[in-house]
Amino acid sequence: MSAALEMFGVVFHLEDQRCCLLEEGDKEADLDLTSTEFHLFLMLVKSEGQTISRKALGMVAWENRDGAIESQGLDTLIAHLRKKIGNLRGSIISVYGQGYSFHLNKVKRIG
């Protein structure tokens, strides 16, 4: 059994870099994230309520290359991540001129 971390109804399977949302009956719905999306989402969720700089997120996304990325590249990754995380998409907040943050209280429940 692989190590897993559960936060806010999201299960991060660390060894196989799989991320799932918990559903009724503790069933897991796989989000089918790429490795980069997995690491970005994990960083954001673990830092709930804090703003993560674009540079720090870039270092995670581009494997410690000093975060030297095009701004649009990170924005595109975040946009793809938001699409995949369903009802949690509103929890990833852009902080103008700084980066992104994860705020669970910003989540809009659908249905």
Side-chain angles (χ1 to χ4, degrees):
M1 187 167 156
S2 67
L5 181 62
E6 180 188 336
M7 296 175 287
F8 311 114
V10 180
V11 180
F12 294 90
H13 295 276
L14 303 175
E15 291 178 19
D16 56 358
Q17 297 182 6
R18 217 170 33 87
C19 185
C20 301
L21 291 180
L22 283 179
E23 296 180 335
E24 283 187 41
D26 288 333
K27 291 183 180 179
E28 294 183 2
D30 195 331
L31 296 176
D32 196 29
L33 302 181
T34 66
S35 177
T36 301
E37 291 165 344
F38 174 88
H39 288 290
L40 286 175
F41 194 37
L42 179 60
M43 183 178 200
L44 287 164
V45 172
K46 284 174 76 173
S47 302
E48 199 265 338
Q50 301 173 29
T51 299
I52 309 283
S53 72
R54 295 179 71 79
K55 182 174 182 175
L57 290 167
M59 290 179 75
V60 168
W62 283 271
E63 300 176 355
N64 298 318
R65 295 185 201 147
D66 297 326
I69 59 160
E70 289 186 29
S71 178
Q72 192 174 11
L74 181 59
D75 295 338
T76 299
L77 276 171
I78 295 292
H80 289 170
L81 178 57
R82 282 177 173 149
K83 286 180 184 176
K84 291 182 177 183
I85 62 175
N87 289 348
L88 291 176
R89 67 183 159 269
S91 63
I92 299 177
I93 309 298
S94 290
V95 181
Y96 183 76
Q98 295 179 30
Y100 290 92
S101 63
F102 179 86
H103 290 274
L104 193 61
N105 62 347
K106 301 289 185 187
V107 177
K108 293 182 180 175
R109 298 287 176 204
I110 299 172

